Amino acid sequence: MSYETITLEVDGNVATLTLNRPEAANAMNPLMARELSRAAIVCDEDPAIRAVIVTGSGRMFCAGGDLGEFAEAGDARPALIKEMAGDLHMGISRLTRMTAPVIAAVNGTAAGAGFSLAVAADLAISADNARYVMAYTNAGLSPDGSSTYFLPRRVGDRRARELMLTNRMLKADEAMAWGLVNEVVPAEELMTRAKDLATELAAGPTLAFGEVKSLLNASFDNGLETQMELESRAISRMSGTADGAEGIAAFLEKRGARLRGSLTEW
């Protein structure tokens, strides 16, 4: 499948999805949102893909929505944005619900939809020169891209409100201190670190990783007993997989586990 605004490269069991409009600061337009959604489905459907990296080309991760295209739409703007947000949200949903872990490798400024995309990832590694800003209300707009769901879960309600209402810009080290990113590395080392982490995760128990994602995403919406029931069902299900049997045996035999992460081994 060919793309105009993104690239999707698969190396071994790791897919790298790159926002690729560097001349426009990787701003999200309707075509990029559609292509992001399509690429997310490709990653979700391919059992060989066991980790995904999301990054940007050039100096910025993503500057948010393409306000120029919004302005050109005139009276059709609400319909255009509704369609674009729907495609973006479908892509984020697929990345969130897929079993493979998703790593945001934030190579530069993440604003608006870029901030949202970084926050939605399972793990985030930041270049030391990256900056983070919600930016939506600066343009008289409200947040999208799952940020009102994930941001309070990452940093708490008070800080989420501060970021959305004041458009405070965070430097990389501040973003790490707030819990927005897991790690900050020198910009020139970003992709090496992201690929090393993705390779490590891709060699792990992909099915179990998927259950971790599902359980954590549900945990804020469930009561204690409901969440524990989901945990019981998940760990029971995982014990019946090939990876579960191998992991238990490897632990008892004091050796490294050979985990396949196969979606067909139930």
Side-chain angles (χ1 to χ4, degrees):
M1 184 179 296
S2 61
Y3 305 95
E4 294 181 33
T5 65
I6 68 170
T7 63
L8 182 63
E9 301 174 340
V10 180
D11 182 10
N13 297 118
V14 176
T16 301
L17 194 165
T18 305
L19 308 180
N20 193 33
R21 299 183 70 212
E23 74 290 346
N26 296 324
M28 186 72 59
N29 66 359
L31 179 57
M32 180 182 279
R34 285 195 299 274
E35 293 189 336
L36 176 66
S37 179
R38 292 170 188 164
I41 291 173
V42 170
C43 293
D44 192 16
E45 288 295 310
D46 187 347
I49 293 175
R50 297 174 62 182
V52 178
I53 299 170
V54 179
T55 192
S57 62
R59 297 183 301 106
M60 301 187 76
F61 180 71
C62 174
D66 191 328
L67 300 184
E69 289 204 27
F70 296 173
E72 290 175 5
D75 292 342
R77 181 164 54 249
L80 178 144
I81 292 179
K82 186 176 290 185
E83 180 179 355
M84 174 180 146
D87 287 329
L88 172 62
H89 293 169
M90 184 63 73
I92 290 174
S93 179
R94 291 288 179 262
L95 293 171
T96 299
R97 305 288 185 193
M98 68 187 297
T99 56
V102 177
I103 302 165
V106 185
N107 57 298
T109 296
F115 194 142
S116 299
L117 190 57
V119 168
D122 298 305
L123 299 169
I125 301 174
S126 176
D128 56 3
N129 61 356
R131 299 292 184 269
Y132 300 82
V133 60
M134 274 275 98
Y136 289 97
T137 56
N138 274 345
L141 302 172
S142 55
D144 68 350
S146 77
S147 57
T148 60
Y149 180 88
F150 281 115
L151 191 56
R153 286 164 165 75
R154 305 290 190 244
V155 303
D157 178 78
R158 288 292 188 191
R159 283 181 162 175
R161 288 173 189 264
E162 179 180 353
L163 291 171
M164 291 179 175
L165 295 174
T166 72
N167 294 298
R168 173 175 174 172
M169 180 175 287
L170 298 180
K171 296 179 180 179
D173 57 346
E174 293 175 311
M176 182 170 169
W178 280 37
L180 283 168
V181 303
N182 300 91
E183 188 176 350
V184 177
V185 298
E188 63 273 15
E189 298 175 13
L190 176 68
M191 290 310 297
T192 297
R193 175 62 186 129
K195 288 177 181 177
D196 286 347
L197 177 58
T199 300
E200 177 185 338
L201 291 170
T206 309
L207 288 175
F209 289 158
E211 291 290 358
V212 169
K213 293 173 61 165
S214 179
L215 287 166
L216 289 176
N217 287 336
S219 65
F220 281 77
D221 301 316
N222 292 325
L224 173 62
E225 283 71 26
T226 299
Q227 188 67 18
M228 289 193 297
E229 175 62 15
L230 293 177
E231 291 177 349
S232 296
R233 290 177 177 272
I235 194 170
S236 172
R237 193 160 53 243
M238 289 302 97
S239 73
T241 67
D243 277 355
E246 166 63 11
I248 292 169
F251 180 83
L252 294 175
E253 295 166 15
K254 296 182 173 55
R255 59 173 175 80
R258 296 181 292 272
L259 303 172
R260 290 178 284 176
S262 172
L263 301 183
T264 61
E265 297 291 344
W266 289 88

